[in-house]
Amino acid sequence: MTTIQWGGYLVGCGILLRNIPYEFWPKFKQDKHYQHLVFATVVILLLLWLLRAGIHERLQVHFLGVTALTLIHGWRIAAFIGSLPLVLMEVILGLRH
């Protein structure tokens, strides 16, 4: 990976972390049910993307999963939660090669 790509990833992570709603972290820390919902969402999206259950062979994002994620959590939190399976998928697939 090039330096420009790493810089882009860092800028993207900074934007995501900056735009998380302030009420997410207190609710996430205190509510065990919400923690389970967030972690289950990450695992389900990760499994869908690892199984390549998309609508096109080169399009690896599962739009139904992302749509459900957005409807459940809201678009700002969904952007953060949706990025976690992508990072995990990159780590898993990067370890294979």
Side-chain angles (χ1 to χ4, degrees), residues 10-24:
L10 290 175
V11 168
C13 288
I15 290 171
L16 277 175
L17 291 175
R18 173 83 170 104
N19 288 325
I20 295 176
Y22 295 112
E23 64 271 2
F24 174 74

Side-chain angles (χ1 to χ4, degrees), residues 27-46:
K27 183 177 180 182
F28 184 75
K29 289 178 183 177
Q30 294 174 355
D31 191 2
K32 296 291 183 191
H33 296 294
Y34 189 65
Q35 289 177 6
H36 290 266
L37 179 66
V38 169
F39 290 136
T41 305
V42 169
V43 168
I44 289 170
L45 280 177
L46 179 66

